[in-house]
Amino acid sequence: MAQVIIYQNPKGTNVCVCVPTGELPINEVLAKDCPAGAIIVDDSTLPKGADAQFFDAWELSGSTVSVNITKAKAIRLAQYNAAALQVAQKRQLNTLAGISNEVSDTDFTNSLTTGRSAIAAANTTSQLVAVTDPV
């Protein structure tokens, strides 16, 4: 397994992962390029799968990186809302141009509520990833 260096961002907002190129030994990279408190871990200990998709929600506790589900929900909700805005804008243009939308306004609004509720109710990143963007 490959080794990486992890540390809390000096601003405290997220986890940083330093992947050495191999040109220098990892201990030299740690001493030369990383702040105090940085540690070397096996990359297999980092979040995988759906958890890896929420990198900005990773938190470091000791030598363990985990996903803060509250932050992950906020990230997914922002993504969902951005997709919903694009669809809503297209629907508005269709309406102005006299082109009918494939889905009624009521069904579209209901699907938005359902998607946002699913994000709020999610307990895992896999559940967050499973919420499909509005169409």
Side-chain angles (χ1 to χ4, degrees):
M1 301 288 165
Q3 291 186 315
V4 296
I5 301 167
I6 58 173
Y7 56 93
Q8 190 70 42
N9 180 313
K11 294 182 181 180
T13 55
N14 59 351
V15 174
C16 297
V17 179
C18 175
V19 181
T21 63
E23 293 180 31
L24 296 174
I26 195 166
N27 288 325
E28 284 185 38
V29 175
L30 176 67
K32 179 176 147 312
D33 297 323
C34 301
I39 58 173
I40 298 171
V41 299
D42 194 72
D43 68 353
S44 67
T45 65
L46 298 178
K48 303 278 188 266
D51 288 348
Q53 295 182 37
F54 293 94
F55 180 76
D56 288 338
W58 287 11
E59 291 186 340
L60 180 61
S61 177
S63 63
T64 303
V65 178
S66 59
V67 177
N68 178 316
I69 193 68
T70 302
K71 286 182 182 178
K73 285 180 181 185
I75 291 166
R76 182 63 185 109
L77 183 59
Q79 293 167 341
Y80 186 86
N81 285 338
L85 177 61
Q86 287 183 341
V87 174
Q89 289 171 334
K90 180 181 176 186
R91 291 175 63 82
Q92 182 182 24
L93 289 173
N94 285 349
T95 301
L96 291 172
I99 301 169
S100 62
N101 290 300
E102 294 178 21
V103 177
S104 73
D105 289 342
T106 301
D107 289 344
F108 176 68
T109 303
N110 289 342
S111 72
L112 292 180
T113 302
T114 300
R116 290 178 179 135
S117 294
I119 291 169
N123 294 314
T124 66
T125 55
S126 294
Q127 291 172 335
L128 290 173
V129 171
V131 177
T132 57
D133 284 344
V135 289

